[in-house]
Amino acid sequence: MKKSVFPLVLVFSLFVTFFSCSNKPKRSRKPVSTIVVQPSKKNYVFGEKVSVEVKTKVKNGEIENIQLFYDNQLIKESSELEFTVPGVELNAMGNNNFRVVATKTDGVNNSRVKSIPVISDVVPKKYSYQIINNYPHLKSSFTEGLEFYKGFLYEGTGNNGESHLMKINLANGNVVQTHSLDEIYFGEGITILNDKIYQLTYKAQKGFVYNLSDFALIDSFQYSSREGWGLTNDGTNLIMGNGTHTLTWLNPENFSVVKTLQVSDDKGLVNFINELEYIDGKILANIYTTNRIIEIDAETGKVIREINLDGIINMYTNPSDTIDYMNGIAYDKTNDRLFVTGKYWPRLFEIKLIESE
C-alpha cells in the first residue's frame, strides 16, 4: 500500500508561507487625524471666532508635519501630534471647511475634513411694494430670464419646444425679434454683456451666446453644474445660479470659474435661488415657488433685504388664465425702474420698494 504524501506537502506549504510572511516588510500605515471645533454649535455666525483642535494618531513610523487649512488657506503647520489654533475668524458664508494633511517621514500622508455651517450676521430688512405701472406680458411665456437694455425688454423662456429668446417692446408687449431653441433644450436665464446675449439651459449643462443685434448664434459653452437657472453679470463676469444656495462667477470668454459664493440669511443657507439681476454691487433674486425676492451682497453672499410681493398679480388675472410662479426681474438703470413678472403672467409690473415697519 502506498503512503500518502499529502501531510508532508501541507507542512512544507505552511513553512514556506510562514517564512514568506515573516520576511515581508510591514506596510506603512496612514496617520489618522481628528478635528474638533469649539464651541460646538449647530450654526456659526459670520465673523465669529473659534478654536480648532487637531489630534493625530500614528500606527507606525514618525510624523514629518501636520498642516491645518481653513478654506484652502494654511493656518498652522506643526510636527506635534496634538495642537490647538485659537481665534480663527469665520469669514465665509455657508459650509466652511477645515482640512488637515498629516505626512509621515516616509512620505505617506492622509487628510481629514471638518465642515461647519456659517450663517449671516445680518438680519435682512423687510420690504413690500407699490405698483407704479403695469404693461402687457405674453401669457405664453414661461419666463426664465428677463433683462432691460437700451429701451427694450429681453426675455428668455423655458419648457421644451417653448423655449425662446425675445426682444420685446415694453409699452405694448409686442415681440420685435425672436430666436427659438431646438426643442431638446429647456431655456433658462439670460444676460447681456459686451453686445452679446448669454443664455443657459436647464439640464443640458450647455449655454448659448448670441449677437445682440440679430440673435445670430455665435458660440456655446459647457458648465459643470447639473442644472442652469438664473443668469446675470457684474459688468465683467457672468453670474450663474443652479437652483441651490451657490452662485458662480464665470469668465465670459473662456467660461472658467472665477469664484463661487454661498448665500445665507440670519437663519441659514437660502436655496432655490432662481432668476437674477445685478444692480450696483447687489444681486436681486427670485426664490422659486414663492413671491419673495431677496437682495444679496455680491461680495459676501449675505441676504440684506427681503421683498414680499404677495398679491401683486391677483387683480390682473382671469379665471381662464394659467398662472405659474413669479420669476423675472429687470432693471432700467438709466431711469431707475425695477420690473417684475412671472411664468405665464399676463402683466409685467414696474414697482417701487417700500420698507416695512
Side-chain angles (χ1 to χ4, degrees):
M1 185 175 67
K2 293 181 180 180
K3 293 183 178 181
S4 173
V5 297
F6 178 74
L8 182 62
V9 172
L10 178 61
V11 170
F12 179 75
S13 298
L14 290 174
F15 175 77
V16 171
T17 301
F18 174 78
F19 182 80
S20 300
C21 292
S22 63
N23 284 275
K24 186 177 181 180
K26 292 184 178 180
R27 178 173 58 89
S28 181
R29 304 288 293 275
K30 292 182 177 181
V32 178
S33 300
T34 58
I35 307 168
V36 177
V37 178
Q38 295 291 349
S40 177
K41 300 167 65 174
K42 179 181 178 180
N43 286 315
Y44 295 82
V45 178
F46 184 92
E48 183 177 353
K49 293 184 178 180
V50 298
S51 292
V52 185
E53 181 183 83
V54 176
K55 294 182 178 180
T56 302
K57 293 182 179 180
V58 183
K59 291 289 186 180
N60 56 14
E62 295 182 354
I63 283 291
E64 176 72 26
N65 65 61
I66 300 170
Q67 296 175 309
L68 174 63
F69 298 85
Y70 170 49
D71 281 347
N72 296 320
Q73 296 293 318
L74 180 65
I75 60 173
K76 175 76 174 182
E77 185 167 9
S78 175
S79 59
E80 299 177 2
L81 294 180
E82 297 184 13
F83 62 81
T84 300
V85 181
V88 179
E89 184 174 343
L90 303 175
N91 56 17
M93 305 295 299
N95 296 314
N96 284 219
N97 292 324
F98 290 97
R99 179 169 58 93
V100 169
V101 179
T103 305
K104 292 166 49 177
T105 54
D106 61 4
V108 173
N109 63 60
N110 196 16
S111 65
R112 286 289 186 272
V113 175
K114 171 78 172 180
S115 182
I116 62 172
V118 177
I119 65 175
S120 175
D121 58 340
V122 174
V123 178
K125 292 183 178 181
K126 309 296 184 182
Y127 282 76
S128 60
Y129 63 94
Q130 176 186 350
I131 297 175
I132 305 300
N133 284 303
N134 71 90
Y135 306 91
H137 181 249
L138 283 175
K139 294 182 182 180
S140 59
S141 290
F142 193 76
T143 307
E144 296 291 0
L146 197 67
E147 189 134 346
F148 189 89
Y149 188 74
K150 292 186 177 181
F152 288 92
L153 196 70
Y154 292 80
E155 184 168 358
T157 63
N159 281 334
N160 297 89
E162 300 177 9
S163 295
H164 310 286
L165 175 64
M166 299 180 292
K167 180 180 180 180
I168 300 167
N169 184 307
L170 174 65
N172 57 28
N174 291 338
V175 177
V176 297
Q177 193 170 316
T178 187
H179 169 82
S180 297
L181 278 69
D182 190 291
E183 64 180 12
I184 66 172
Y185 295 114
F186 186 122
E188 280 287 346
I190 67 167
T191 195
I192 298 172
L193 179 63
N194 300 328
D195 293 323
K196 299 174 184 177
I197 301 179
Y198 297 81
Q199 184 176 31
L200 301 178
T201 58
Y202 183 28
K203 292 188 175 182
Q205 296 180 301
K206 187 174 185 178
F208 299 105
V209 187
Y210 310 92
N211 273 330
L212 176 62
S213 59
D214 58 5
F215 287 3
L217 180 63
I218 57 175
D219 200 1
S220 64
F221 59 97
Q222 301 291 132
Y223 41 86
S224 59
S225 295
R226 292 176 60 186
E227 297 179 356
W229 285 42
L231 189 65
T232 188
N233 74 85
D234 60 7
T236 302
N237 295 303
L238 307 176
I239 305 172
M240 171 186 170
N242 60 11
T244 68
H245 60 271
T246 300
L247 298 177
T248 302
W249 273 246
L250 298 174
N251 182 303
E253 299 302 322
N254 59 24
F255 307 102
S256 61
V257 174
V258 176
K259 73 170 184 176
T260 59
L261 193 68
Q262 299 182 72
V263 177
S264 174
D265 59 19
D266 60 317
K267 297 180 178 63
L269 296 174
V270 180
N271 287 293
F272 303 110
I273 293 173
N274 206 353
E275 218 271 316
L276 307 171
E277 184 75 12
Y278 182 92
I279 306 172
D280 298 328
K282 308 295 188 296
I283 300 170
L284 292 181
N286 285 118
I287 302 302
Y288 184 52
T289 76
T290 77
N291 291 321
R292 184 166 64 112
I293 290 175
I294 60 172
E295 185 178 69
I296 305 161
D297 186 304
E299 289 296 321
T300 64
K302 300 177 185 180
V303 176
I304 55 181
R305 291 201 290 183
E306 291 183 352
I307 304 147
N308 186 339
L309 293 175
D310 281 348
I312 192 169
I313 191 63
N314 290 0
M315 63 182 294
Y316 297 92
T317 60
N318 298 313
S320 60
D321 290 336
T322 300
I323 301 297
D324 209 300
Y325 297 114
M326 184 180 73
N327 199 46
I329 308 169
Y331 180 63
D332 174 8
K333 185 174 183 179
T334 303
N335 299 294
D336 190 27
R337 296 187 295 174
L338 182 64
F339 304 100
V340 297
T341 192
K343 303 171 186 290
Y344 299 142
W345 284 19
R347 308 301 293 180
L348 176 140
F349 301 95
E350 178 190 342
I351 63 171
K352 177 182 178 181
L353 303 183
I354 301 173
E355 188 169 359
S356 304
E357 294 181 2

